[in-house]
Amino acid sequence: MRRPARRRAAASAGWPGHAGPPTRSGRVSSGARAAGRHRPHGGSRDYHLRRRYRIGQREFDELLAGPGGVCAVCGDPDPEHVDHDHRTGWVRGILCFNCNGGLGQFRDSPTRLARAITYLRGTTWQRALIHPGVYQMCSPTRGRPPSPRF
């Protein structure tokens, strides 16, 4: 006995010969997409800054020039990320990827950052000056010593 032919789900949904409805990339040529990047209503860096942070490229450049063109936290050259307060939306400065993400991971909380600093100071070896030019490494107050290497 012969089995009935299987019909594709998309064909029964009204799109014969397709896996589903046409996608945007299937209908718009690459030239039209490239032209859309330069329109005032989308695609450009200035549009992104204005829509998301309510600043333009000129304001971005002014914020970047403030700390001398480097990340305001770590000093790495050529930062590209806008740091803003998530509650108020106010732009605070221009940071590198790692510093901007780090502040976000600590939920922009100075208390959490202070606790992290205290934690790091208590679990890392510290240099203690015992005589001018002579330092001694003091063991951490918390944590365990590193395991011996074999």
Side-chain angles (χ1 to χ4, degrees):
M1 180 172 189
R2 186 172 179 199
R3 286 181 153 180
R6 288 180 139 183
R7 291 183 59 182
R8 291 172 44 180
S12 64
W15 300 98
H18 293 284
T23 61
R24 180 176 172 89
S25 62
R27 289 183 282 146
V28 178
S29 69
S30 62
R33 278 194 307 273
R37 285 188 213 116
H38 301 293
R39 292 184 187 151
H41 55 67
S44 70
R45 172 86 169 151
D46 190 59
Y47 173 77
H48 169 74
L49 291 170
R50 288 197 183 282
R51 183 165 183 236
R52 187 145 189 197
Y53 306 110
R54 296 183 181 163
I55 64 170
Q57 186 65 43
R58 192 182 77 216
E59 290 91 353
F60 179 89
D61 293 338
E62 289 171 3
L63 285 167
L64 183 60
V70 298
C71 175
V73 175
C74 69
D76 280 353
D78 203 27
E80 299 177 350
H81 297 272
V82 177
D83 176 41
H84 68 285
D85 187 331
H86 288 258
R87 282 175 282 173
T88 63
W90 285 75
V91 173
R92 293 186 287 221
I94 309 300
L95 304 178
C96 69
F97 173 80
N98 290 329
C99 292
N100 192 34
L103 289 178
Q105 292 296 321
F106 284 105
R107 300 183 193 139
D108 299 334
S109 169
T111 305
R112 288 178 190 258
L113 283 168
R115 286 182 186 160
I117 290 168
T118 303
Y119 171 79
L120 283 175
R121 285 190 176 148
T123 59
T124 56
W125 289 74
Q126 301 291 323
R127 288 181 359 164
L129 180 65
I130 58 172
H131 191 68
V134 180
Y135 293 91
Q136 180 179 3
M137 297 302 287
C138 297
S139 64
T141 57
R142 290 189 294 268
R144 327 182 339 205
S147 59
R149 297 189 178 203
F150 295 100

